[in-house]
Amino acid sequence: MIEKKNWKQIPQGGLIIEAGNAVNYKTGDWRTFRPVRDEKKCTQCMMCWMYCPDSCIIPKDGKIDHTDYDFCKGCGVCAQVCPVKCIEMKEEDEFR
Amino acid sequence: MNNQEKKALTGAESVAEAMKQINPDVVPAYPITPQTDIMHTFAKFVADGKVNSEMILVESEHSAMSAAVGAAAAGARVMTATASNGLALMHEIVYIAASSRLPIVMAVANRALSGPINIHCDHSDTMAERDSGWLQIYCENNQEAYDTTLLAVRLAEHKDVRLPVMVCMDGFITSHNIEGVEILDDKDVKDFVGELKMDYPLLNTEKPITFGPLDFYDYYFEHKRQQSEGINNARNAFPKIAKELSAITGRDYDFIEEYKSSDAEFIVVIMSSSAGTTKDVVDDLRAKGIKAGLVKIRMYRPFPFFEVGEAIKNAKVVAILDRTESFGAVGGPLFNEVRSAITDMKKKPKTINYVFGLGGREYNKSLANKVFEEIQGYEDKDVKELVHYLGVRD
């Protein structure tokens, strides 16, 4: 648990003075369903990568590599748009 | 005391003159009676090349304050003016200006809030912003309007304060009446206000920041606590700034003005131009041997709690005059705040509220006399009716 700062320790006026620190807030914590991809069925059409609103489908060498679970919120759009339905939304609890 | 030139100026022109000498970076402007002359006069200075200010003509007061916030966040020294429903229209952004700790200075020519639509003086417009976090100073006359505009810039930009300031003056009564005003040399004003240095201006691309982000329930309270500290720091910051200006103008300003009140038995507490009228009546009564006095509140936010309490504690009866109504409260804002200041005192005066002057209803010597006459009557009588309406037909 991150220790919370008191009113004397935070920048005035609600400013965030560290650039780009949104990356420290792991929104993946909010997930209740997790996308799990069956690599054997995947045709590498890149639809999931294109539609992901959080840019969490990470390609490598021209192929889908992995999902960034630090920021995947489990919205399920990837599973919805996959033309071969190789992505299954599983309960996050199974992975905790 | 430095060289000053006496000029015949309206209150609006006095503020515009101060603005000319301050030469702010950005002035967003939208007109509304009775402040229009401030922006109008300043616009002429811009057109004549007498200032370097970027004057932005916006589509509403909400936009004026939004532009002010954006410019101030960028690192600019920003000034503007409004009144009445114009101030009400900027309400949400007024809060944001204060919570973002931006040292904006805004002149307000106090005018009644609608409805019915009324263009004349009362304090309902700025009183509606008393919780916003802005500092508020009420000016009795054109000289005070000029001097306070200069003080406001220094106070807003003080490193321990960093909050926006409203410089209030009575609409039409002060804004449109000509008085002789002592004006400093341009250089003295320039030296007095100095340069603004914001800690994290948006235009500094070396230190990129996020301005105006979200808070959850785990940090909002801490930011507000910080803001409280800021406005309370003005209590320490102001006297030093006022002293510095006094050295060059010869005019002293404190949180309140005590006029023949130190030994007074009957005191009127009041703000703004009506104080001038009341001082005349105090003089008349004193000449007759009646121990009358006046306490004029200049800095209303932060409220001079201790100063007001000390100033009135030895009187017998104190009339607190509000130029606005706070509907549903028992008594106007000044009444309740002044009463609060003496609540814990063992020996305290009787207090009675007079709501007066709404929508520009005249306040004159006759009414001021009526107040003093009535409160003298309460010396040996209990106050049954706390709230009275002065000058209304009933």
Side-chain angles (χ1 to χ4, degrees):
Chain A
M1 211 30 217
I2 311 167
E3 194 164 305
K4 306 260 185 198
K5 298 198 167 83
N6 72 34
W7 66 266
K8 298 180 201 118
Q9 297 170 317
I10 51 180
Q12 260 191 16
L15 289 184
I16 298 174
I17 56 177
E18 191 190 7
N21 69 352
V23 77
N24 297 333
Y25 191 92
K26 305 293 181 208
T27 51
D29 259 357
W30 304 355
R31 212 170 37 238
T32 50
F33 285 96
R34 173 186 287 234
V36 178
R37 204 177 111 256
D38 184 344
E39 209 181 319
K40 289 187 235 65
K41 279 202 205 164
C42 174
T43 61
Q44 304 296 342
C45 72
M46 299 290 161
M47 288 291 276
C48 57
W49 164 81
M50 214 184 313
Y51 273 90
C52 175
D54 282 314
S55 305
C56 282
I57 310 265
I58 314 295
K60 194 170 144 186
D61 301 326
K63 288 177 140 185
I64 302 289
D65 188 69
H66 68 279
T67 302
D68 185 350
Y69 290 115
D70 275 348
F71 295 102
C72 166
K73 293 197 193 81
C75 72
V77 169
C78 56
Q80 275 282 327
V81 302
C82 176
V84 299
K85 297 287 173 238
C86 75
I87 301 176
E88 191 189 341
M89 297 306 292
K90 294 197 165 181
E91 292 259 357
E92 183 66 18
D93 285 343
E94 289 178 37
F95 302 90
R96 294 245 174 120
Chain B
M1 213 176 90
N2 291 26
N3 179 53
Q4 290 169 92
E5 188 192 337
K6 197 162 197 173
K7 294 189 181 181
L9 300 171
T10 64
E13 288 168 344
S14 305
V15 171
E17 186 72 23
M19 286 175 67
K20 170 164 73 84
Q21 296 179 307
I22 292 163
N23 196 4
D25 297 308
V26 175
V27 175
Y30 191 83
I32 187 168
T33 304
Q35 71 84 356
T36 308
D37 280 7
I38 303 175
M39 293 288 103
H40 212 174
T41 309
F42 190 77
K44 188 158 192 305
F45 297 145
V46 174
D48 292 343
K50 298 212 169 118
V51 290
N52 309 112
S53 316
E54 182 79 32
M55 193 162 189
I56 313 175
L57 304 181
V58 292
E59 64 274 21
S60 78
E61 285 88 350
H62 185 277
S63 298
M65 187 49 61
S66 301
V69 165
R77 178 177 271 161
V78 184
M79 299 180 77
T80 188
T82 194
S84 178
N85 284 50
L87 180 54
L89 188 58
M90 5 168 117
H91 182 78
E92 61 155 349
I93 313 291
V94 161
Y95 272 72
I96 288 167
S99 57
S100 302
R101 310 300 294 273
L102 298 171
I104 298 166
V105 172
M106 176 163 72
V108 182
N110 285 113
R111 163 186 152 180
L113 284 172
S114 308
I117 305 174
N118 176 291
I119 59 168
H120 293 281
C121 172
D122 76 29
H123 296 163
S124 51
D125 55 0
T126 46
M127 279 299 167
E129 307 301 328
R130 66 192 192 259
D131 293 335
S132 64
W134 281 59
L135 281 76
Q136 290 188 2
I137 306 177
Y138 288 78
C139 305
E140 181 184 328
N141 51 40
N142 301 6
Q143 184 69 64
E144 286 198 12
Y146 173 78
D147 292 335
T148 305
T149 305
L150 305 181
L151 291 169
V153 172
R154 283 288 302 275
L155 188 55
E157 295 174 4
H158 191 282
K159 62 169 174 56
D160 299 329
V161 178
R162 282 292 150 107
L163 283 166
V165 180
M166 283 180 204
V167 177
C168 310
M169 69 180 136
D170 280 352
F172 282 116
I173 301 167
T174 308
S175 65
H176 282 61
N177 278 314
I178 299 176
E179 293 183 275
V181 184
E182 297 282 4
I183 303 293
L184 287 165
D185 287 344
D186 288 352
K187 186 177 183 302
D188 285 335
V189 174
K190 196 160 182 271
D191 290 342
F192 177 73
V193 297
E195 294 279 320
L196 169 62
K197 276 203 80 59
M198 294 289 275
D199 291 329
Y200 294 98
L202 283 170
L203 287 175
N204 182 359
T205 50
E206 305 289 308
K207 277 202 265 176
I209 53 137
T210 300
F211 179 88
L214 182 79
D215 251 352
F216 281 139
Y217 36 75
D218 58 349
Y219 273 103
Y220 180 89
F221 204 163
E222 279 70 23
H223 283 121
K224 290 292 142 185
R225 174 67 187 88
Q226 215 184 51
Q227 210 181 316
S228 297
E229 195 73 7
I231 198 166
N232 283 319
N233 286 342
R235 298 177 198 275
N236 286 326
F238 183 72
K240 299 189 190 92
I241 296 168
K243 196 162 173 226
E244 214 185 295
L245 186 66
S246 171
I248 57 175
T249 60
R251 291 180 293 277
D252 296 312
Y253 290 112
D254 209 330
F255 299 107
I256 62 174
E257 184 188 333
E258 295 174 77
Y259 188 79
K260 301 189 177 172
S261 59
S262 55
D263 69 335
E265 294 177 337
F266 305 100
I267 294 180
V268 159
V269 179
I270 201 168
M271 294 205 301
S272 211
S273 70
S274 311
T277 313
T278 317
K279 283 178 195 171
D280 260 16
V281 169
V282 166
D283 289 343
D284 293 344
L285 292 170
R286 282 280 177 173
K288 290 194 219 151
I290 297 165
K291 290 192 165 171
L294 171 100
V295 170
K296 181 182 88 181
I297 296 179
R298 296 194 69 252
M299 184 172 287
Y300 173 69
R301 278 289 180 271
F303 188 73
F305 192 86
F306 301 106
E307 289 79 3
V308 169
E310 285 299 300
I312 65 171
K313 70 181 184 190
N314 295 318
K316 292 187 174 151
V317 189
V318 176
I320 298 153
L321 271 63
D322 271 293
R323 199 161 193 160
T324 186
E325 171 81 278
S326 178
F327 295 100
V330 176
L334 264 193
F335 181 63
N336 284 295
E337 294 199 45
V338 173
R339 289 249 290 191
S340 176
I342 59 172
T343 269
D344 297 325
M345 291 179 177
K346 288 208 170 56
K347 180 177 154 294
K348 53 183 178 261
K350 293 179 186 163
T351 51
I352 183 165
N353 187 213
Y354 285 87
V355 173
F356 79 102
L358 302 191
R361 177 57 52 91
E362 191 185 351
Y363 174 77
N364 52 32
K365 287 181 70 166
S366 157
L367 289 176
N369 261 307
K370 183 165 184 263
V371 169
F372 277 107
E373 211 180 284
E374 283 181 11
I375 63 175
Q376 283 174 77
Y378 286 109
E379 191 179 346
D380 302 311
K381 229 172 55 189
D382 282 334
V383 177
K384 290 266 159 58
E385 285 278 335
L386 284 175
V387 184
H388 295 243
Y389 294 91
L390 185 70
V392 75
R393 291 182 300 277
D394 53 15

